[in-house]
């Protein structure tokens, strides 16, 4: 078995299926080269021209080979991890509803900003790509993950639940041309689904387990990459703390994220302090870089001098 075949065999069924659909659509784009503005998400055209098909096409079409490549790699990583926790049927319904709900909230927010403050840019903006749903899946995966913290590009550690929000901000700085509202819409839908606010759209765990026993789905269930619904349930939508509990958790996560960023900047500017540097072995730094000048172990580095030390030096 080739490495590609082995990789594809390890991808669960629902995740693999949506990846295939997106790739097939991109092949259509590549060979036929249809006008992209006919398939993008444009709130004005959805609301005033009733082009509701854009809710679906905007998620399946992509702007370039790099665009779809990055999205499909993210889908493979996040989707596989999530599907193995919640099962194939739950993953399939999450993706199908996610495509429609993320587009719906994107359109609603654009319209709301237009009628309240007259901000018209988002109403006329065209966006495309599966990344909104990816952010929805990232929120669900982060909420179900046993890991309490995650590293954001090795820069700062944040709580797992805050990880998608950190990615939202950092990716916007790195690639300002991407759709901030599209990604935010995915985060909002994922957060609401995780807290049970969207349970009306999603089947219960009992219904999913019963569906797996139906003969009409026997062919799908028999597939090697099919993941059964866990006996303990999917873990999605169980918490019903209400809006107060939801806002409290999001607010606490944001506060923790800001605290971690401030602590990281403090270390970068003022150093770690003598006590914190005791576990850093600096004697082989020069040798590691091919130099002859190494730092002795007794030469502790404490960062920049404190304000008191600087004043004493100047006086």
């Amino acid at each position: 078995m080739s490495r590609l075949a082995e990789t594809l065999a390890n991808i669960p069924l629902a995740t693999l299926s949506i990846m295939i659909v997106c790739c097939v659509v991109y092949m259509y784009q590549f060979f036929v080269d249809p006008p992209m503005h006919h398939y993008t998400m444009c709130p004005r055209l959805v609301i005033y021209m009733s082009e509701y098909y854009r809710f679906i096409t905007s998620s399946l079409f992509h702007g370039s080979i790099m665009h779809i490549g990055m999205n499909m790699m993210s889908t493979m990583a996040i989707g596989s991890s999530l599907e193995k926790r919640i099962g194939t049927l739950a993953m399939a319904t999450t993706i199908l509803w996610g495509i429609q709900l993320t587009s719906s909230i994107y359109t609603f927010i654009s319209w709301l900003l237009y009628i309240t403050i007259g901000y018209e840019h988002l109403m006329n903006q065209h966006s495309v790509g599966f990344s909104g749903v990816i952010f929805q899946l990232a929120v669900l995966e982060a909420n179900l993950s046993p890991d309490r913290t995650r590293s954001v590009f090795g820069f700062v550690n944040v709580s797992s639940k805050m990880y998608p929000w950190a990615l939202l901000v950092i990716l916007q700085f790195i690639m300002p041309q991407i759709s901030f509202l599209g990604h935010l819409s995915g985060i909002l839908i994922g957060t609401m689904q995780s807290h049970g606010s969207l349970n009306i759209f999603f089947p219960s765990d009992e219904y999913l387990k019963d569906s797996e026993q139906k003969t009409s789905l026997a062919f799908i269930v028999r597939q090697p990459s099919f993941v059964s619904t866990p006996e303990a349930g999917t873990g999605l939508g169980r918490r019903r703390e209400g809006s107060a509990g939801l806002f409290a958790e999001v607010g606490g996560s944001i506060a923790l994220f800001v605290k971690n960023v401030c602590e990281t900047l403090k270390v970068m500017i003022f150093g770690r302090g003598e006590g914190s540097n005791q576990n850093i072995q600096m004697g082989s730094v020069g040798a590691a870089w091919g130099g002859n000048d190494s730092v002795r172990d007794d030469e502790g580095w404490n960062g920049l001098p404190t304000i008191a030390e600087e004043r004493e030096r100047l006086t």
Side-chain angles (χ1 to χ4, degrees):
M1 180 182 294
S2 66
R3 180 170 299 181
L4 176 61
E6 184 178 354
T7 300
L8 294 177
N10 290 329
I11 303 176
L13 184 59
T15 301
L16 180 61
S17 298
I18 191 60
M19 290 175 60
I20 292 176
V21 170
C22 289
C23 291
V24 170
V25 170
Y26 189 76
M27 291 177 62
Y28 165 76
Q29 293 180 240
F30 184 81
F31 290 107
V32 180
D33 193 22
M36 280 295 293
H37 64 275
H38 289 174
Y39 304 98
T40 56
M41 168 52 62
C42 180
R44 180 177 292 278
L45 295 177
V46 170
I47 296 174
Y48 297 109
M49 301 299 293
S50 301
E51 297 181 355
Y52 302 115
Y53 69 88
R54 293 178 182 269
F55 280 179
I56 299 176
T57 59
S58 61
S59 293
L60 301 180
F61 280 69
H62 289 81
S64 66
I65 185 66
M66 181 177 294
H67 188 198
I68 189 174
M70 293 178 62
N71 277 357
M72 291 304 99
M73 286 191 294
S74 299
T75 301
M76 180 176 65
I78 298 173
S80 297
S81 176
L82 179 61
E83 186 171 347
K84 290 175 182 178
R85 288 192 174 99
I86 67 176
T88 294
L89 294 186
M91 185 68 174
T93 54
T94 294
I95 292 175
L96 292 176
W97 273 114
I99 291 174
Q100 301 174 64
L101 292 175
T102 53
S103 298
S104 298
I105 198 170
Y106 180 100
T107 303
F108 173 75
I109 293 176
S110 300
W111 172 80
L112 187 63
L113 291 175
Y114 173 62
I115 65 171
T116 54
I117 63 176
Y119 187 70
E120 194 174 6
H121 174 70
L122 293 175
M123 287 288 290
N124 298 316
Q125 180 176 277
H126 289 256
S127 61
V128 68
F130 195 66
S131 53
V133 180
I134 294 175
F135 269 85
Q136 174 202 7
L137 302 179
V139 171
L140 299 177
E141 195 275 335
N143 277 271
L144 294 176
S145 174
D147 300 326
R148 299 186 60 182
T149 61
R150 291 186 179 184
S151 175
V152 182
F153 302 128
F155 174 69
V156 61
N157 285 331
V158 299
S159 66
S160 294
K161 296 177 183 178
M162 195 61 199
Y163 182 72
W165 294 90
L167 285 181
L168 172 69
V169 175
I170 294 177
L171 286 177
Q172 197 66 36
F173 277 106
I174 298 176
M175 297 178 287
Q177 74 278 7
I178 63 179
S179 175
F180 177 84
L181 181 57
H183 295 170
L184 177 62
S185 299
I187 289 180
L188 294 177
I189 293 299
T191 302
M192 288 189 287
Q193 181 183 356
S194 177
H195 285 78
S197 302
L198 301 177
N199 279 359
I200 187 174
F201 296 105
F202 298 95
S204 64
D205 294 345
E206 291 73 18
Y207 181 84
L208 294 175
K209 294 176 182 178
D210 291 340
S211 298
E212 293 175 358
Q213 308 302 322
K214 295 181 179 179
T215 55
S216 57
L217 296 179
F219 175 76
I220 297 177
V221 174
R222 287 198 300 266
Q223 297 304 310
S225 56
F226 182 87
V227 181
S228 301
T229 304
E231 287 298 326
T234 62
L236 297 176
R238 287 182 174 180
R239 291 173 292 175
R240 298 178 177 272
E241 305 122 333
S243 58
L246 173 59
F247 289 128
E249 180 172 348
V250 173
S253 298
I254 293 175
L256 180 59
F257 172 64
V258 173
K259 175 185 176 183
N260 288 337
V261 171
C262 291
E263 290 180 351
T264 301
L265 293 176
K266 176 183 176 183
V267 171
M268 292 173 62
I269 297 174
F270 299 106
R272 296 165 55 93
E274 184 176 3
S276 300
N277 286 321
Q278 292 178 354
N279 63 334
I280 300 178
Q281 303 296 327
M282 304 187 67
S284 58
V285 172
W289 288 93
N292 297 322
D293 297 329
S294 60
V295 182
R296 299 197 312 271
D297 290 339
D298 58 348
E299 292 180 347
W301 177 74
N302 299 322
L304 297 177
T306 63
I307 295 178
E309 292 172 344
E310 186 65 17
R311 286 178 179 174
E312 181 179 353
R313 186 183 66 83
L314 294 176
T315 55

